[in-house]
Amino acid sequence: MKTEMTTAQRLRGILAGSAGNLLEYYDWYVYSSFAIYFAHAFFPRGNQTAELLNTAAIFAVGFFMRPVGGWLLGMAADRYGRRMALTLSVTAMCLGSLVIAVCPTYEQVGLLAPALLLLARLVQGLSLGGEYGASATYLTEMASPEHRGFWSGFLYVTLVMGQLLALLILLLMQYVLLTPEQISTWGWRVPFFLGALGALLVFWLRRQMQESDRFQKTSTQKEKGGVRVLLQHPRAVLTVCGMTLGGTVIFYTYTIYMQKYLTNTLGFPKETATLVASACLFIFAAIQPAFGALSDRIGRRPLLLFFGVSATLGTVPLMTILSGVTSAWAAFALITSALFIASGYTSINAVVKAELFPTRIRALGVALPYAVTVSIFGGTTEYIALWCRQAGHEMWFAYYVSACAAVTLVTVLTLRKTTVIDQD
């Protein structure tokens, strides 16, 4: 008879499962962090907003491969194990980074340059689509029931730390190593090379992962999960979509778009914008486990309601105030406040979604509806924001974000208190 995992075994598994998240999201966010420096390399030169629109469009297109990745790697995780799916996802992500690192410029090869950039982002989108579902499932299954919220918070700690690492490398280049001209000419390639090299360590870590007990107990069942089985749980699927819609738009607004907003709209220097974004992200990452631990004590629903109400009613006033600030400290305070609100969702959304599905379709159930929703709404967040600015109605974007948050609020109000994970 198999004995229950010890605390040390759970901890090693959780750390191994989440460590790869850092590199995955580092590779994904290096693109957006360095876009202000490499946009001109892949497209015909024009005004800054037009170049950023082109890079944002490819950023958005990359998201449309995430449902494919969620489907393929989600089924792989449910059929062959979480470890195998997580190893495949990090390999594909780093392959995409290597392609971007060596990609020639538009001046050298013309349209082939943006075509290769697009191909690399499609591969990375495929990878990330499967990463979230497999890692969220693995962390949820490895954690003890009374501490699932706390350990779920580390999914976004590693996610945000990956993004923060990308920004810190940019800061190091800006303030210590290179001139702005050197970064624009060749320095932007360095972080993509670093991401590809990091694959060796993460590949080894994930090969050493121990499979979760819950998966091992169901791995011998004749009936495996798949889309057909997933569709037998329509309420859970719609819940994942509704929760994700507002959460992902808020997340990408304040973690991705803000760096460009500070420079392109408020006129802050690129270096200042990067510093403000980095400081906000550091605090955001640090508070995730605390929010998760709070959910273990008071439940998931109160935190999700806090997010839904605050984001729905507070986005327009916050963005209105932000549009008039001239101080970096004021911008820091406002963005940090928005990320504090977002933590009501980000810290526990993975465990809430995983708790909705039985083991045999858990990875697919989390990954596919999440990836579809993120592709449609998360991947287009930055593009919609830039489009509103281009159209001369930038505040339209604030109302759009608020409406998306309202969808999540309605979804949370219909959320059931019981969870499937403790019943299978």
Side-chain angles (χ1 to χ4, degrees):
M1 181 176 180
K2 186 175 178 65
T3 59
E4 187 176 348
M5 286 186 189
T6 65
T7 301
Q9 287 175 321
R10 291 183 188 275
L11 182 59
R12 284 197 299 269
I14 290 168
L15 292 177
S18 59
N21 241 22
L22 191 151
L23 181 68
E24 287 259 358
Y25 282 92
Y26 163 80
D27 285 336
W28 184 253
Y29 289 125
V30 154
Y31 180 95
S32 58
S33 298
F34 280 80
I36 55 179
Y37 286 103
F38 71 71
H40 67 88
F42 292 97
F43 303 98
R45 290 186 178 271
N47 65 67
Q48 186 182 46
T49 300
E51 290 175 356
L52 289 175
L53 274 171
N54 285 327
T55 55
I58 287 186
F59 186 77
V61 170
F63 275 80
F64 292 120
M65 283 298 288
R66 290 178 70 162
V68 179
W71 169 52
L72 294 176
L73 293 178
M75 287 202 304
D78 286 331
R79 295 188 181 212
Y80 307 111
R82 321 312 190 195
R83 182 178 66 177
M84 189 272 282
L86 287 169
T87 303
L88 287 176
S89 72
V90 76
T91 303
M93 175 63 72
C94 292
L95 177 63
S97 286
L98 185 60
V99 170
I100 298 176
V102 301
C103 187
T105 66
Y106 182 87
E107 292 182 355
Q108 293 171 325
V109 295
L111 292 176
L112 181 60
L116 288 172
L117 180 65
L118 175 61
L119 176 63
R121 291 302 287 178
L122 291 178
V123 172
Q124 291 186 322
L126 181 86
S127 167
L128 208 63
E131 168 71 20
Y132 177 85
S135 58
T137 297
Y138 186 76
L139 261 66
T140 301
E141 291 177 347
M142 291 294 287
S144 57
E146 65 272 18
H147 298 300
R148 279 197 201 117
F150 173 74
W151 290 113
S152 173
F154 280 90
L155 188 67
Y156 263 77
V157 170
T158 53
L159 185 157
V160 174
M161 290 304 290
Q163 183 178 356
L164 186 58
L165 180 60
L167 286 174
L168 288 177
I169 289 176
L170 177 55
L171 281 172
L172 187 63
M173 289 185 173
Q174 288 174 332
Y175 285 97
V176 180
L177 299 177
L178 303 175
T179 65
E181 292 74 22
Q182 289 173 324
I183 300 176
S184 296
T185 304
W186 58 269
W188 61 266
R189 298 181 184 273
V190 173
F192 292 103
F193 274 117
L194 294 176
L197 290 174
L200 296 176
L201 174 60
V202 174
F203 183 86
W204 178 81
L205 284 173
R206 289 193 161 174
R207 292 294 295 173
Q208 306 302 313
M209 286 168 56
Q210 182 177 348
E211 196 58 79
S212 72
D213 285 344
R214 289 183 183 275
F215 174 78
Q216 291 180 8
K217 290 176 181 178
T218 61
S219 61
T220 57
Q221 293 181 359
K222 291 184 179 180
E223 185 180 5
K224 301 294 183 180
V227 175
R228 180 183 60 81
V229 179
L230 179 63
L231 293 178
Q232 296 173 11
H233 302 266
R235 183 185 180 93
V237 170
L238 291 176
T239 297
V240 172
C241 292
M243 283 181 54
T244 303
L245 196 156
T248 193
V249 170
I250 289 286
F251 176 78
Y252 281 101
T253 296
Y254 292 107
T255 65
I256 297 297
Y257 177 60
M258 277 300 107
Q259 184 193 14
K260 299 177 183 63
Y261 181 82
L262 292 176
T263 58
N264 203 32
T265 298
L266 300 185
F268 284 96
K270 293 177 180 178
E271 295 79 5
T272 302
T274 304
L275 190 60
V276 169
S278 299
C280 292
L281 285 174
F282 181 82
I283 294 176
F284 182 52
I287 63 178
Q288 298 307 297
F291 270 81
L294 181 62
S295 79
D296 288 326
R297 295 180 63 88
I298 68 174
R300 324 288 189 219
R301 200 163 182 264
L303 264 68
L304 292 171
L305 285 173
F306 161 74
F307 164 75
V309 173
S310 300
T312 300
L313 301 180
T315 296
V316 173
L318 191 149
M319 292 284 288
T320 301
I321 297 172
L322 183 61
S323 66
V325 302
T326 57
S327 164
W329 284 106
F332 165 77
L334 289 168
I335 297 171
T336 300
S337 299
L339 290 174
F340 183 85
I341 292 171
S343 297
Y345 163 82
T346 57
S347 61
I348 59 171
N349 81 95
V351 67
V352 171
K353 294 166 187 174
E355 288 176 337
L356 296 172
F357 297 96
T359 302
R360 61 186 175 135
I361 59 162
R362 183 165 295 131
L364 180 63
V366 174
L368 185 56
Y370 169 83
V372 170
T373 309
V374 169
S375 298
I376 297 172
F377 295 97
T380 58
T381 297
E382 187 176 62
Y383 189 86
I384 291 173
L386 289 168
W387 181 87
C388 289
R389 170 170 170 74
Q390 191 86 321
H393 299 283
E394 198 158 15
M395 281 305 298
W396 286 358
F397 178 66
Y399 287 97
Y400 168 76
V401 174
S402 181
C404 291
V407 174
T408 295
L409 176 59
V410 172
T411 303
V412 173
L413 290 172
T414 63
L415 190 65
R416 291 176 176 175
K417 293 184 179 180
T418 57
T419 63
V420 175
I421 190 172
D422 294 318
Q423 300 171 1
D424 62 9

